[in-house]
Amino acid sequence: MTTTVGVDVQPTDIWAALDSALDLGSLRPKLADGVEVVRFETRWGSGYTMVKNPRGPAYFRFSAEDGEIIDMLDGTRTVRELVVDRMRDSSAFEFDNVVDLVALLQEGDFLEERWVETYALVGERLDSAAGRRGKSFRRFLRVQTVQVGPRMHDFVDFTYRWGGRYLFTAYAHVVLLTVLFGGAVLFYLDVHDKHFAISSKALATSFGLLFVLDLAATMIHEAGHALAIRHADRKVLAAGFQLYLGHPAFFIDSADIMMSTPRERVRQAWYGPYSGFVIAGLCGALVWFFPDAGMAQTLFNLAVLTYVTAAMNLIPFLELDGYWICMDVFQTTGLRQRSLAFLRHELPRKVRTRAAFTRFDWVLLGFGVIGAIFTVIALLTSYLFWKPVFGALVTKMWDGGVTGRVLLLLIIAFVLGPLVHWIFDMLRSLQRRIRFLVRRLRFKAELSWRREAGEMISNLPMLTMLPLDSLNELAGRAQLRQVSGGSIVVRQGGSASEFFVIRSGRVNVIDETPDGEEDVLRSMGPGEAFGELALLQGTPRTATVRAEVDTELFTIDKGSFDRLLADSVTSPELAPSVSALMSVWSMPPFRHLSARDSHTVAEAGRWLAVLPDIDVVKAGEQGDAYYVVGSGHLSVIEDDSFIRDLGPGDYFGEVALLLDVPRTATVRSRTPARLFVLDRAAFNKVIATAFRSGALRVTAADRMIQERT
Amino acid sequence: MDCWHCRKTALGACRFCGRGICEDHTETRPFILSVYRGGAGDTPRALVVEDALHCGKCTPRPSPVELSELDS
């Protein structure tokens, strides 16, 4: 891109320097200043680690195991050293985990050395130059959000210091809870004794007033959250206004609370509805004390709206505040999905088989039952209690013609926005379930031939060691095709998109010569398969296949073939790599690796066969290789004394992957043994390949967390 | 020249690494032709080709690499 002319050329090997600069295995990752790492223990599982990058800000959640790697990112170890250190701790060759993690943190700009996405920036600039006009409006239409920037935290901080902090004292709680419960009782009396109801003289006024009061209710709610965030010494990242499925609402970005303890998070989630209940109670009390005051009706309306907003937010199934509270109390992520899945699948099975419930099962069951009961009670109470409150207004608006009815529907949408959202979600889920049931019924109807397809595929001589799961999935994905005699199944030179197994009938494999003649190479019958080579090699079809008689074929699409079959196919040219892959997988340190990573390891390493009584490594000699025992037994000997036995799956020599260090012991074979050897050059190649692999990054990016607002 | 992916006749070469690519396997991404400083803030500016050919196999490193050896 740039050239330097007329500079004194020093005898520097610039290519070696470039090599070294690009060698990510020698990178010494160090977390940037200000990056915050917090580890959380959970009642279930092994906990998790939250990492916050103030440049952004961005938040990642990692497993506890990844958290241990993050603790090691202090700039003292290279990536290669991290891999070897982890190997010592976990006995697994975790290069994929380490590289994933470092690459993810690097690309998220969490490391000391800044990361610049040059090409993405260029793309962004080109985009913005092309369509700057109307961009902000289009953005609003897309996200339906107007956001206020970082100054919001200053405002919250000011409010907290100048009074808000007293809301978190014990005395304040006594007062607030008195207002909350006392106000609720007085509100009940407002409705039943003083016959207050939502009403107004004109339709437009009713609509406008309810709209404004609804906004006020959400503002009170979000203010409660904001003060609780400040109380936890975290930051309110932003605030603003959004349309939540057509429902206008204020919001605050509370992602920073994820760095706090579960207790603080529960408090933060609770303070939204809590502040709503208190304000509503206060309004209810004022109305009861001053029923004839000019503001009484407005205060009553505000109380109603605030109660609705707060109660809605506490329904656990709505994934709002009530849900976040349950998640933090039960210390379980994805609580709703897991609970529903448990109720749907595990619970009937456990009841049927009379299996014992674990503590976690009780949590999932408890959440599901409480959530369902809460939802039913909320809906029932809404119907019974709010009828006298809203009845007059609803009747008046419904009788007010088309305009009145439209306004009424709008009000319902505003007030019940979250519920409407949930109903949409449920309908979508129901639609998915119906689709699933239809597929399942169709699948059952096709069960006989699918079973036959599975058996035929598993009996193919070209497939070895096909796992049962893959076989089942293949049987599910196979299609049955009928071809009439004389029809072409695949054409020579055509692109390959399917693999075929003959169920019945007969086909001829034909070589078409350039002068138009046909040469029948072979004939194939039931149980035989064709089309795998072109798929494996990514080449055009090498021959034409024509049905000799009416024929039935099982077909497997290319995607399923690549994913489920390709690794198990043994054709003469692929046999060595398949067998190498299986061998690598058979060793415990590599068992967790994906097919792609195993392939990398298989290609980089080599196998060594040793006879009994051979010194594989000798004490005092310099070593540069790591060994894993594939089969056989070896002895570790120090100063002529037997120290321990090494058997299949054991390994030794991992330090030699980093340094030329003298071997501290002799390792001698006791039986014929097969060892997998990874030397330093191969190790470096494995790390470099992993860094270059985009697929790893995609997997790692799944660990990014969703913002919780 | 053949396509790196499918061995069909290549129609172009990757602007980043030179591998041959056929029409089916062609991808595009921005390519920086030249970088210079300019404008009021004397900020770096780039002349770019918006849709240069990319083979999808090589990985142009997005973040600049420091090479202090070039100072000598």
Side-chain angles (χ1 to χ4, degrees):
Chain A
M1 285 188 291
T2 52
T3 25
T4 311
V5 182
V7 176
D8 269 353
V9 178
Q10 300 294 317
T12 306
D13 184 347
I14 196 62
W15 297 113
L18 184 59
D19 240 6
S20 156
L22 291 175
D23 175 19
L24 290 165
S26 64
L27 176 78
R28 290 181 187 276
K30 184 183 180 192
L31 292 178
D33 286 341
V35 169
E36 196 179 341
V37 181
V38 185
R39 185 173 292 190
F40 293 99
E41 301 297 327
T42 54
R43 216 168 286 151
W44 329 100
S46 51
Y48 63 96
T49 298
M50 289 291 309
V51 186
K52 175 189 175 183
N53 181 3
R55 306 161 177 170
Y59 301 82
F60 285 1
R61 184 171 60 207
F62 295 100
S63 66
E65 292 75 31
D66 286 345
E68 287 169 16
I69 302 174
I70 290 170
D71 289 344
M72 296 161 87
L73 304 184
D74 54 7
T76 59
R77 300 174 181 84
T78 64
V79 169
R80 278 193 281 269
E81 286 166 340
L82 287 167
V83 173
V84 173
D85 280 352
R86 288 296 297 163
M87 204 186 302
R88 286 165 166 177
D89 290 344
S90 67
S91 301
F93 189 50
E94 288 185 59
F95 76 92
D96 52 340
N97 272 357
V98 173
V99 170
D100 267 5
L101 189 75
V102 171
L104 183 66
L105 292 173
Q106 189 182 41
E107 291 170 20
D109 207 17
F110 281 72
L111 301 183
E112 194 174 49
E113 191 182 340
R114 296 300 304 256
W115 180 260
V116 185
E117 283 280 353
T118 314
Y119 297 101
L121 282 172
V122 169
E124 225 171 76
R125 292 288 192 280
L126 291 172
D127 271 357
S128 60
R132 205 166 283 155
R133 188 179 297 169
K135 198 179 168 199
S136 56
F137 181 65
R138 280 201 303 276
R139 187 179 143 71
F140 175 74
L141 287 182
R142 199 172 64 246
V143 297
Q144 299 194 329
T145 301
V146 179
Q147 195 162 311
V148 183
R151 301 287 300 172
M152 180 48 67
H153 180 72
D154 297 340
F155 175 71
V156 173
D157 184 52
F158 176 84
T159 313
Y160 179 80
R161 282 188 288 114
W162 290 91
R165 64 196 161 117
Y166 297 112
L167 293 174
F168 299 87
T169 60
Y171 296 118
H173 283 308
V174 172
V175 175
L176 293 175
L177 288 171
T178 306
V179 173
L180 189 153
F181 289 113
V185 172
L186 294 176
F187 175 80
Y188 179 81
L189 296 175
D190 291 338
V191 176
H192 284 270
D193 291 358
K194 298 188 190 295
H195 303 294
F196 266 90
I198 294 245
S199 67
S200 195
K201 283 171 191 163
L203 290 178
T205 319
S206 312
F207 181 75
L209 188 64
L210 281 176
F211 181 80
V212 171
L213 292 180
D214 187 41
L215 286 182
T218 58
M219 192 184 257
I220 291 163
H221 180 97
E222 295 302 314
H225 285 315
L227 287 173
I229 291 171
R230 171 61 188 83
H231 185 68
D233 271 334
R234 305 308 313 186
K235 285 191 86 167
V236 174
L237 301 176
F241 174 83
Q242 70 177 154
L243 291 177
Y244 181 64
L245 208 88
H247 176 252
F250 290 97
F251 74 94
I252 59 156
D253 185 343
S254 58
D256 206 38
I257 199 71
M258 287 183 290
M259 303 300 290
S260 285
T261 60
R263 187 190 160 88
E264 298 281 10
R265 292 199 298 261
V266 169
R267 193 209 314 266
Q268 183 269 339
W270 166 240
Y271 258 69
Y274 184 36
S275 55
F277 283 131
V278 171
I279 295 291
L282 185 64
C283 292
L286 288 173
V287 171
W288 192 82
F289 284 117
F290 308 104
D292 301 323
M295 289 290 286
Q297 181 63 49
T298 309
L299 287 174
F300 179 80
N301 291 353
L302 179 59
V304 171
L305 267 299
T306 312
Y307 272 133
V308 172
T309 307
M312 286 283 182
N313 272 277
L314 282 181
I315 296 177
F317 279 171
L318 287 184
E319 294 201 13
L320 294 169
D321 296 324
Y323 180 65
W324 304 126
I325 291 171
C326 286
M327 278 224 303
D328 282 324
V329 168
F330 295 129
Q331 299 184 5
T332 306
T333 52
L335 190 55
R336 192 177 76 156
Q337 291 85 339
R338 290 165 87 169
S339 171
L340 290 176
F342 175 78
L343 294 177
R344 205 176 291 158
H345 306 296
E346 273 292 288
L347 182 64
R349 191 185 64 78
K350 289 209 164 186
V351 170
R352 215 172 37 243
T353 58
R354 298 188 179 180
F357 278 43
T358 63
R359 282 182 65 197
F360 190 60
D361 289 344
W362 285 113
V363 165
L364 296 178
L365 179 64
F367 174 80
V369 171
I370 291 168
I373 291 173
F374 200 103
T375 308
V376 170
I377 290 177
L379 293 174
L380 209 60
T381 314
S382 303
Y383 176 73
L384 295 175
F385 185 66
W386 301 106
K387 203 178 167 192
V389 177
F390 284 105
L393 179 76
V394 170
T395 311
K396 188 175 172 188
M397 292 185 85
W398 191 253
D399 295 340
V402 177
T403 317
R405 289 179 186 188
V406 169
L407 287 177
L408 179 65
L409 289 174
L410 281 174
I411 289 174
I412 291 171
F414 288 156
V415 176
L416 303 178
L419 193 64
V420 172
H421 193 204
W422 181 67
I423 289 168
F424 273 144
D425 279 352
M426 289 300 285
L427 287 176
R428 267 208 299 266
S429 158
L430 189 69
Q431 187 191 11
R432 276 199 299 270
R433 191 144 182 80
I434 289 170
R435 221 180 281 160
F436 171 76
L437 281 173
V438 170
R439 271 206 303 268
R440 202 166 153 179
L441 286 173
R442 195 190 301 155
F443 187 86
K444 278 201 170 166
E446 296 169 343
L447 201 58
S448 62
W449 67 255
R450 286 190 184 280
R451 197 172 287 146
E452 193 184 332
E455 278 168 16
M456 276 191 162
I457 292 167
S458 72
N459 288 332
L460 289 174
M462 71 172 75
L463 299 177
T464 54
M465 298 176 71
L466 194 61
L468 189 63
D469 287 350
S470 303
L471 201 58
N472 284 337
E473 198 174 338
L474 277 168
R477 290 185 174 277
Q479 297 290 323
L480 181 62
R481 185 184 300 171
Q482 298 189 333
V483 187
S484 52
S487 304
I488 300 284
V489 181
V490 299
R491 171 71 76 182
Q492 188 173 328
S495 61
S497 61
E498 284 169 316
F499 169 65
F500 303 87
V501 182
I502 304 170
R503 187 192 190 198
S504 65
R506 188 144 214 91
V507 300
N508 289 325
V509 182
I510 298 161
D511 181 31
E512 293 186 58
T513 59
D515 50 10
E517 285 184 12
E518 292 188 350
D519 186 9
V520 177
L521 300 175
R522 58 183 292 216
S523 188
M524 299 171 88
E528 290 187 277
F530 58 92
E532 76 283 3
L533 271 181
L535 288 178
L536 286 167
Q537 297 170 340
T539 55
R541 297 290 190 193
T542 50
T544 293
V545 177
R546 177 182 288 143
E548 193 182 313
V549 293
D550 288 353
T551 302
E552 285 184 314
L553 299 165
F554 293 125
T555 65
I556 308 286
D557 65 278
K558 185 177 185 316
S560 305
F561 180 87
D562 287 346
R563 197 162 53 82
L564 301 164
L565 277 178
D567 287 344
S568 305
V569 172
T570 50
S571 59
E573 57 272 56
L574 294 167
S577 66
V578 172
S579 137
L581 198 65
M582 293 298 175
S583 305
V584 166
W585 260 331
S586 70
M587 292 178 283
F590 306 119
R591 202 159 278 165
H592 68 288
L593 295 178
S594 64
R596 176 198 291 255
D597 297 337
S598 296
H599 190 71
T600 306
V601 171
E603 278 204 333
R606 65 192 158 85
W607 284 95
L608 180 69
V610 287
L611 294 169
D613 231 13
I614 300 287
D615 289 347
V616 179
V617 300
K618 282 185 183 167
E621 276 185 357
Q622 299 288 316
D624 74 340
Y626 158 70
Y627 297 83
V628 184
V629 183
S631 62
H633 286 264
L634 302 99
S635 304
V636 180
I637 299 162
E638 269 184 41
D639 300 328
D640 291 331
S641 307
F642 171 81
I643 303 296
R644 66 190 169 102
D645 177 72
L646 295 173
D650 289 333
Y651 61 89
F652 56 94
E654 68 278 8
V655 181
L657 293 174
L658 301 171
L659 303 163
D660 276 328
V661 286
R663 301 287 190 186
T664 52
T666 295
V667 178
R668 184 173 299 151
S669 56
R670 284 167 50 208
T671 63
R674 205 162 163 259
L675 306 173
F676 184 75
V677 188
L678 196 68
D679 63 23
R680 203 176 304 153
F683 177 59
N684 292 348
K685 192 178 160 198
V686 166
I687 301 286
T689 309
F691 259 111
R692 276 198 297 271
S693 163
L696 288 177
R697 236 88 83 214
V698 172
T699 317
D702 288 342
R703 288 184 290 207
M704 287 175 66
I705 55 160
Q706 295 290 319
E707 282 186 1
R708 175 176 142 175
T709 54
Chain B
M1 186 161 55
D2 290 343
C3 173
W4 179 268
H5 298 277
C6 64
R7 308 289 182 267
K8 274 200 276 186
T9 305
L11 291 181
C14 174
R15 188 67 180 87
F16 298 86
C17 68
R19 284 181 174 95
I21 356 170
C22 69
E23 199 171 0
D24 290 343
H25 289 103
T26 294
E27 291 179 27
T28 60
R29 63 187 298 159
F31 178 79
I32 299 176
L33 281 175
S34 179
V35 178
Y36 65 97
R37 285 185 177 276
D42 204 28
T43 47
R45 285 158 175 251
L47 288 174
V48 302
V49 178
E50 205 167 330
D51 49 1
L53 289 186
H54 179 227
C55 61
K57 183 73 185 169
C58 68
T59 44
R61 201 169 136 79
S63 201
V65 176
E66 189 181 306
L67 271 179
S68 50
E69 289 81 358
L70 287 174
D71 275 342
S72 57

